[in-house]
PDB file of all heavy atoms in Angstrom:
ATOM      1  N   SER A   1      34.683  24.341 -23.167  1.00  0.00           N
ATOM      2  CA  SER A   1      36.059  24.834 -23.147  1.00  0.00           C
ATOM      3  C   SER A   1      36.566  25.223 -24.532  1.00  0.00           C
ATOM      4  O   SER A   1      37.622  25.827 -24.660  1.00  0.00           O
ATOM      5  CB  SER A   1      36.989  23.796 -22.524  1.00  0.00           C
ATOM      6  OG  SER A   1      36.937  22.596 -23.266  1.00  0.00           O
ATOM      7  N   GLU A   2      35.807  24.892 -25.558  1.00  0.00           N
ATOM      8  CA  GLU A   2      36.166  25.285 -26.923  1.00  0.00           C
ATOM      9  C   GLU A   2      34.883  25.543 -27.700  1.00  0.00           C
ATOM     10  O   GLU A   2      33.803  25.105 -27.295  1.00  0.00           O
ATOM     11  CB  GLU A   2      37.013  24.215 -27.595  1.00  0.00           C
ATOM     12  CG  GLU A   2      36.377  22.853 -27.652  1.00  0.00           C
ATOM     13  CD  GLU A   2      37.335  21.793 -28.169  1.00  0.00           C
ATOM     14  OE1 GLU A   2      38.470  21.724 -27.688  1.00  0.00           O
ATOM     15  OE2 GLU A   2      36.923  21.053 -29.066  1.00  0.00           O
ATOM     16  N   PRO A   3      34.980  26.268 -28.811  1.00  0.00           N
ATOM     17  CA  PRO A   3      33.763  26.579 -29.570  1.00  0.00           C
ATOM     18  C   PRO A   3      33.056  25.315 -30.040  1.00  0.00           C
ATOM     19  O   PRO A   3      33.713  24.341 -30.405  1.00  0.00           O
ATOM     20  CB  PRO A   3      34.268  27.380 -30.775  1.00  0.00           C
ATOM     21  CG  PRO A   3      35.652  27.806 -30.426  1.00  0.00           C
ATOM     22  CD  PRO A   3      36.182  26.816 -29.438  1.00  0.00           C
ATOM     23  N   PRO A   4      31.710  25.319 -30.025  1.00  0.00           N
ATOM     24  CA  PRO A   4      30.982  24.147 -30.526  1.00  0.00           C
ATOM     25  C   PRO A   4      31.105  24.050 -32.043  1.00  0.00           C
ATOM     26  O   PRO A   4      31.390  25.039 -32.716  1.00  0.00           O
ATOM     27  CB  PRO A   4      29.532  24.431 -30.110  1.00  0.00           C
ATOM     28  CG  PRO A   4      29.451  25.908 -30.044  1.00  0.00           C
ATOM     29  CD  PRO A   4      30.811  26.373 -29.580  1.00  0.00           C
ATOM     30  N   ASP A   5      30.906  22.862 -32.560  1.00  0.00           N
ATOM     31  CA  ASP A   5      30.915  22.650 -33.996  1.00  0.00           C
ATOM     32  C   ASP A   5      29.577  23.124 -34.542  1.00  0.00           C
ATOM     33  O   ASP A   5      28.573  22.420 -34.476  1.00  0.00           O
ATOM     34  CB  ASP A   5      31.136  21.176 -34.310  1.00  0.00           C
ATOM     35  CG  ASP A   5      31.201  20.897 -35.805  1.00  0.00           C
ATOM     36  OD1 ASP A   5      31.136  21.859 -36.614  1.00  0.00           O
ATOM     37  OD2 ASP A   5      31.326  19.723 -36.171  1.00  0.00           O
ATOM     38  N   LEU A   6      29.574  24.344 -35.044  1.00  0.00           N
ATOM     39  CA  LEU A   6      28.307  24.966 -35.462  1.00  0.00           C
ATOM     40  C   LEU A   6      27.728  24.331 -36.722  1.00  0.00           C
ATOM     41  O   LEU A   6      26.553  24.497 -37.002  1.00  0.00           O
ATOM     42  CB  LEU A   6      28.512  26.467 -35.653  1.00  0.00           C
ATOM     43  CG  LEU A   6      28.917  27.197 -34.381  1.00  0.00           C
ATOM     44  CD1 LEU A   6      29.174  28.665 -34.661  1.00  0.00           C
ATOM     45  CD2 LEU A   6      27.871  27.033 -33.303  1.00  0.00           C
ATOM     46  N   LYS A   7      28.519  23.597 -37.462  1.00  0.00           N
ATOM     47  CA  LYS A   7      27.994  22.941 -38.654  1.00  0.00           C
ATOM     48  C   LYS A   7      26.960  21.879 -38.296  1.00  0.00           C
ATOM     49  O   LYS A   7      26.115  21.539 -39.094  1.00  0.00           O
ATOM     50  CB  LYS A   7      29.128  22.307 -39.455  1.00  0.00           C
ATOM     51  CG  LYS A   7      30.025  23.316 -40.141  1.00  0.00           C
ATOM     52  CD  LYS A   7      31.108  22.626 -40.910  1.00  0.00           C
ATOM     53  CE  LYS A   7      32.291  22.557 -39.965  1.00  0.00           C
ATOM     54  NZ  LYS A   7      33.461  21.922 -40.491  1.00  0.00           N
ATOM     55  N   ASN A   8      27.038  21.359 -37.068  1.00  0.00           N
ATOM     56  CA  ASN A   8      26.117  20.301 -36.659  1.00  0.00           C
ATOM     57  C   ASN A   8      24.859  20.827 -35.973  1.00  0.00           C
ATOM     58  O   ASN A   8      24.021  20.054 -35.545  1.00  0.00           O
ATOM     59  CB  ASN A   8      26.831  19.323 -35.732  1.00  0.00           C
ATOM     60  CG  ASN A   8      27.898  18.551 -36.466  1.00  0.00           C
ATOM     61  OD1 ASN A   8      27.777  18.309 -37.654  1.00  0.00           O
ATOM     62  ND2 ASN A   8      28.951  18.187 -35.772  1.00  0.00           N
ATOM     63  N   LEU A   9      24.753  22.140 -35.825  1.00  0.00           N
ATOM     64  CA  LEU A   9      23.556  22.694 -35.188  1.00  0.00           C
ATOM     65  C   LEU A   9      22.421  22.770 -36.192  1.00  0.00           C
ATOM     66  O   LEU A   9      22.624  22.895 -37.395  1.00  0.00           O
ATOM     67  CB  LEU A   9      23.852  24.093 -34.637  1.00  0.00           C
ATOM     68  CG  LEU A   9      24.827  24.148 -33.455  1.00  0.00           C
ATOM     69  CD1 LEU A   9      25.089  25.589 -33.071  1.00  0.00           C
ATOM     70  CD2 LEU A   9      24.285  23.373 -32.267  1.00  0.00           C
ATOM     71  N   SER A  10      21.201  22.726 -35.702  1.00  0.00           N
ATOM     72  CA  SER A  10      20.032  22.794 -36.575  1.00  0.00           C
ATOM     73  C   SER A  10      19.882  24.195 -37.144  1.00  0.00           C
ATOM     74  O   SER A  10      20.594  25.121 -36.775  1.00  0.00           O
ATOM     75  CB  SER A  10      18.778  22.436 -35.780  1.00  0.00           C
ATOM     76  OG  SER A  10      18.445  23.514 -34.920  1.00  0.00           O
ATOM     77  N   MET A  11      18.937  24.351 -37.982  1.00  0.00           N
ATOM     78  CA  MET A  11      18.666  25.667 -38.567  1.00  0.00           C
ATOM     79  C   MET A  11      17.896  26.553 -37.593  1.00  0.00           C
ATOM     80  O   MET A  11      17.294  27.524 -37.962  1.00  0.00           O
ATOM     81  CB  MET A  11      17.906  25.511 -39.889  1.00  0.00           C
ATOM     82  CG  MET A  11      18.787  24.999 -41.014  1.00  0.00           C
ATOM     83  SD  MET A  11      20.355  25.895 -41.222  1.00  0.00           S
ATOM     84  CE  MET A  11      19.814  27.546 -41.581  1.00  0.00           C
ATOM     85  N   ARG A  12      17.940  26.217 -36.331  1.00  0.00           N
ATOM     86  CA  ARG A  12      17.332  27.060 -35.307  1.00  0.00           C
ATOM     87  C   ARG A  12      18.382  27.983 -34.700  1.00  0.00           C
ATOM     88  O   ARG A  12      18.183  28.592 -33.683  1.00  0.00           O
ATOM     89  CB  ARG A  12      16.660  26.197 -34.252  1.00  0.00           C
ATOM     90  CG  ARG A  12      15.474  25.417 -34.895  1.00  0.00           C
ATOM     91  CD  ARG A  12      14.663  24.655 -33.949  1.00  0.00           C
ATOM     92  NE  ARG A  12      14.240  25.359 -32.774  1.00  0.00           N
ATOM     93  CZ  ARG A  12      13.247  26.256 -32.718  1.00  0.00           C
ATOM     94  NH1 ARG A  12      12.590  26.586 -33.809  1.00  0.00           N
ATOM     95  NH2 ARG A  12      12.920  26.810 -31.570  1.00  0.00           N
ATOM     96  N   LEU A  13      19.534  28.072 -35.384  1.00  0.00           N
ATOM     97  CA  LEU A  13      20.629  28.928 -34.948  1.00  0.00           C
ATOM     98  C   LEU A  13      21.047  29.797 -36.119  1.00  0.00           C
ATOM     99  O   LEU A  13      21.210  29.315 -37.232  1.00  0.00           O
ATOM    100  CB  LEU A  13      21.813  28.066 -34.485  1.00  0.00           C
ATOM    101  CG  LEU A  13      23.041  28.782 -34.001  1.00  0.00           C
ATOM    102  CD1 LEU A  13      22.762  29.414 -32.638  1.00  0.00           C
ATOM    103  CD2 LEU A  13      24.199  27.803 -33.871  1.00  0.00           C
ATOM    104  N   GLY A  14      21.182  31.083 -35.856  1.00  0.00           N
ATOM    105  CA  GLY A  14      21.608  32.006 -36.899  1.00  0.00           C
ATOM    106  C   GLY A  14      22.150  33.270 -36.272  1.00  0.00           C
ATOM    107  O   GLY A  14      22.297  33.374 -35.059  1.00  0.00           O
ATOM    108  N   GLU A  15      22.453  34.221 -37.118  1.00  0.00           N
ATOM    109  CA  GLU A  15      22.945  35.506 -36.624  1.00  0.00           C
ATOM    110  C   GLU A  15      21.761  36.381 -36.233  1.00  0.00           C
ATOM    111  O   GLU A  15      20.646  36.206 -36.725  1.00  0.00           O
ATOM    112  CB  GLU A  15      23.794  36.184 -37.692  1.00  0.00           C
ATOM    113  CG  GLU A  15      25.076  35.416 -37.977  1.00  0.00           C
ATOM    114  CD  GLU A  15      25.949  36.095 -38.999  1.00  0.00           C
ATOM    115  OE1 GLU A  15      25.689  37.274 -39.343  1.00  0.00           O
ATOM    116  OE2 GLU A  15      26.907  35.459 -39.450  1.00  0.00           O
ATOM    117  N   PHE A  16      22.014  37.356 -35.363  1.00  0.00           N
ATOM    118  CA  PHE A  16      20.949  38.231 -34.890  1.00  0.00           C
ATOM    119  C   PHE A  16      20.282  38.971 -36.050  1.00  0.00           C
ATOM    120  O   PHE A  16      19.064  39.110 -36.082  1.00  0.00           O
ATOM    121  CB  PHE A  16      21.486  39.232 -33.862  1.00  0.00           C
ATOM    122  CG  PHE A  16      20.420  40.149 -33.322  1.00  0.00           C
ATOM    123  CD1 PHE A  16      19.456  39.669 -32.452  1.00  0.00           C
ATOM    124  CD2 PHE A  16      20.369  41.475 -33.697  1.00  0.00           C
ATOM    125  CE1 PHE A  16      18.460  40.498 -31.964  1.00  0.00           C
ATOM    126  CE2 PHE A  16      19.378  42.314 -33.211  1.00  0.00           C
ATOM    127  CZ  PHE A  16      18.426  41.821 -32.342  1.00  0.00           C
ATOM    128  N   ARG A  17      21.070  39.417 -37.020  1.00  0.00           N
ATOM    129  CA  ARG A  17      20.465  40.136 -38.156  1.00  0.00           C
ATOM    130  C   ARG A  17      19.478  39.244 -38.904  1.00  0.00           C
ATOM    131  O   ARG A  17      18.473  39.716 -39.424  1.00  0.00           O
ATOM    132  CB  ARG A  17      21.543  40.682 -39.079  1.00  0.00           C
ATOM    133  CG  ARG A  17      22.343  39.605 -39.742  1.00  0.00           C
ATOM    134  CD  ARG A  17      23.473  40.146 -40.566  1.00  0.00           C
ATOM    135  NE  ARG A  17      24.252  39.014 -41.017  1.00  0.00           N
ATOM    136  CZ  ARG A  17      24.957  39.005 -42.087  1.00  0.00           C
ATOM    137  NH1 ARG A  17      25.021  40.075 -42.845  1.00  0.00           N
ATOM    138  NH2 ARG A  17      25.643  37.942 -42.429  1.00  0.00           N
ATOM    139  N   ASP A  18      19.753  37.939 -38.950  1.00  0.00           N
ATOM    140  CA  ASP A  18      18.809  37.010 -39.580  1.00  0.00           C
ATOM    141  C   ASP A  18      17.597  36.790 -38.694  1.00  0.00           C
ATOM    142  O   ASP A  18      16.471  36.665 -39.193  1.00  0.00           O
ATOM    143  CB  ASP A  18      19.487  35.672 -39.889  1.00  0.00           C
ATOM    144  CG  ASP A  18      20.562  35.812 -40.954  1.00  0.00           C
ATOM    145  OD1 ASP A  18      20.399  36.666 -41.853  1.00  0.00           O
ATOM    146  OD2 ASP A  18      21.568  35.092 -40.869  1.00  0.00           O
ATOM    147  N   PHE A  19      17.804  36.727 -37.373  1.00  0.00           N
ATOM    148  CA  PHE A  19      16.683  36.600 -36.445  1.00  0.00           C
ATOM    149  C   PHE A  19      15.707  37.754 -36.636  1.00  0.00           C
ATOM    150  O   PHE A  19      14.492  37.558 -36.606  1.00  0.00           O
ATOM    151  CB  PHE A  19      17.192  36.554 -35.002  1.00  0.00           C
ATOM    152  CG  PHE A  19      16.097  36.592 -33.977  1.00  0.00           C
ATOM    153  CD1 PHE A  19      15.249  35.510 -33.792  1.00  0.00           C
ATOM    154  CD2 PHE A  19      15.898  37.722 -33.206  1.00  0.00           C
ATOM    155  CE1 PHE A  19      14.237  35.548 -32.848  1.00  0.00           C
ATOM    156  CE2 PHE A  19      14.885  37.768 -32.256  1.00  0.00           C
ATOM    157  CZ  PHE A  19      14.058  36.679 -32.082  1.00  0.00           C
ATOM    158  N   MET A  20      16.218  38.957 -36.835  1.00  0.00           N
ATOM    159  CA  MET A  20      15.349  40.125 -36.995  1.00  0.00           C
ATOM    160  C   MET A  20      14.483  40.025 -38.246  1.00  0.00           C
ATOM    161  O   MET A  20      13.460  40.684 -38.343  1.00  0.00           O
ATOM    162  CB  MET A  20      16.169  41.424 -36.995  1.00  0.00           C
ATOM    163  CG  MET A  20      16.751  41.775 -35.622  1.00  0.00           C
ATOM    164  SD  MET A  20      15.519  41.857 -34.294  1.00  0.00           S
ATOM    165  CE  MET A  20      14.611  43.324 -34.751  1.00  0.00           C
ATOM    166  N   LYS A  21      14.861  39.169 -39.194  1.00  0.00           N
ATOM    167  CA  LYS A  21      14.057  38.978 -40.403  1.00  0.00           C
ATOM    168  C   LYS A  21      12.757  38.232 -40.118  1.00  0.00           C
ATOM    169  O   LYS A  21      11.862  38.205 -40.954  1.00  0.00           O
ATOM    170  CB  LYS A  21      14.869  38.242 -41.471  1.00  0.00           C
ATOM    171  CG  LYS A  21      16.026  39.070 -42.003  1.00  0.00           C
ATOM    172  CD  LYS A  21      16.846  38.277 -43.002  1.00  0.00           C
ATOM    173  CE  LYS A  21      18.061  39.066 -43.443  1.00  0.00           C
ATOM    174  NZ  LYS A  21      18.935  38.257 -44.318  1.00  0.00           N
ATOM    175  N   PHE A  22      12.644  37.618 -38.918  1.00  0.00           N
ATOM    176  CA  PHE A  22      11.378  36.998 -38.515  1.00  0.00           C
ATOM    177  C   PHE A  22      10.305  38.060 -38.295  1.00  0.00           C
ATOM    178  O   PHE A  22       9.126  37.755 -38.260  1.00  0.00           O
ATOM    179  CB  PHE A  22      11.536  36.194 -37.220  1.00  0.00           C
ATOM    180  CG  PHE A  22      12.177  34.847 -37.398  1.00  0.00           C
ATOM    181  CD1 PHE A  22      13.495  34.640 -37.027  1.00  0.00           C
ATOM    182  CD2 PHE A  22      11.464  33.779 -37.926  1.00  0.00           C
ATOM    183  CE1 PHE A  22      14.083  33.396 -37.165  1.00  0.00           C
ATOM    184  CE2 PHE A  22      12.041  32.532 -38.065  1.00  0.00           C
ATOM    185  CZ  PHE A  22      13.359  32.339 -37.696  1.00  0.00           C
ATOM    186  N   PHE A  23      10.713  39.302 -38.107  1.00  0.00           N
ATOM    187  CA  PHE A  23       9.800  40.397 -37.794  1.00  0.00           C
ATOM    188  C   PHE A  23       9.561  41.257 -39.023  1.00  0.00           C
ATOM    189  O   PHE A  23      10.458  41.460 -39.839  1.00  0.00           O
ATOM    190  CB  PHE A  23      10.391  41.283 -36.681  1.00  0.00           C
ATOM    191  CG  PHE A  23      10.680  40.537 -35.413  1.00  0.00           C
ATOM    192  CD1 PHE A  23      11.940  40.009 -35.176  1.00  0.00           C
ATOM    193  CD2 PHE A  23       9.699  40.355 -34.454  1.00  0.00           C
ATOM    194  CE1 PHE A  23      12.223  39.317 -34.011  1.00  0.00           C
ATOM    195  CE2 PHE A  23       9.973  39.667 -33.280  1.00  0.00           C
ATOM    196  CZ  PHE A  23      11.234  39.144 -33.061  1.00  0.00           C
ATOM    197  N   SER A  24       8.347  41.792 -39.122  1.00  0.00           N
ATOM    198  CA  SER A  24       8.050  42.740 -40.202  1.00  0.00           C
ATOM    199  C   SER A  24       8.820  44.034 -39.943  1.00  0.00           C
ATOM    200  O   SER A  24       9.317  44.272 -38.829  1.00  0.00           O
ATOM    201  CB  SER A  24       6.542  43.034 -40.250  1.00  0.00           C
ATOM    202  OG  SER A  24       6.167  43.792 -39.098  1.00  0.00           O
ATOM    203  N   THR A  25       8.901  44.889 -40.957  1.00  0.00           N
ATOM    204  CA  THR A  25       9.580  46.171 -40.786  1.00  0.00           C
ATOM    205  C   THR A  25       8.912  46.991 -39.692  1.00  0.00           C
ATOM    206  O   THR A  25       9.597  47.592 -38.855  1.00  0.00           O
ATOM    207  CB  THR A  25       9.580  46.963 -42.117  1.00  0.00           C
ATOM    208  OG1 THR A  25      10.257  46.167 -43.103  1.00  0.00           O
ATOM    209  CG2 THR A  25      10.276  48.296 -41.969  1.00  0.00           C
ATOM    210  N   ASP A  26       7.578  46.983 -39.654  1.00  0.00           N
ATOM    211  CA  ASP A  26       6.869  47.724 -38.603  1.00  0.00           C
ATOM    212  C   ASP A  26       7.188  47.163 -37.211  1.00  0.00           C
ATOM    213  O   ASP A  26       7.377  47.920 -36.266  1.00  0.00           O
ATOM    214  CB  ASP A  26       5.352  47.690 -38.839  1.00  0.00           C
ATOM    215  CG  ASP A  26       4.938  48.568 -40.016  1.00  0.00           C
ATOM    216  OD1 ASP A  26       5.714  49.458 -40.414  1.00  0.00           O
ATOM    217  OD2 ASP A  26       3.819  48.349 -40.526  1.00  0.00           O
ATOM    218  N   GLU A  27       7.256  45.832 -37.101  1.00  0.00           N
ATOM    219  CA  GLU A  27       7.596  45.230 -35.810  1.00  0.00           C
ATOM    220  C   GLU A  27       9.030  45.589 -35.403  1.00  0.00           C
ATOM    221  O   GLU A  27       9.296  45.913 -34.244  1.00  0.00           O
ATOM    222  CB  GLU A  27       7.445  43.703 -35.869  1.00  0.00           C
ATOM    223  CG  GLU A  27       6.003  43.230 -35.905  1.00  0.00           C
ATOM    224  CD  GLU A  27       5.872  41.744 -36.182  1.00  0.00           C
ATOM    225  OE1 GLU A  27       6.771  41.148 -36.837  1.00  0.00           O
ATOM    226  OE2 GLU A  27       4.857  41.159 -35.750  1.00  0.00           O
TER     227      GLU A  27
END
């Protein structure tokens, strides 16, 4: 019912632009 406290989430959460950094430029 309200936003989660994102400060307590693990480093397995990020923004999509950061997720795309897992991929090479060719990928």
Side-chain angles (χ1 to χ4, degrees):
S1 59
E2 57 187 48
D5 182 3
L6 298 177
K7 289 180 267 180
N8 292 330
L9 292 177
S10 74
M11 287 310 299
R12 295 186 48 77
L13 180 72
E15 294 182 12
F16 181 72
R17 65 184 173 153
D18 293 327
F19 173 71
M20 289 305 291
K21 293 177 185 175
F22 282 104
F23 302 94
S24 69
T25 301
D26 288 341
E27 287 171 333

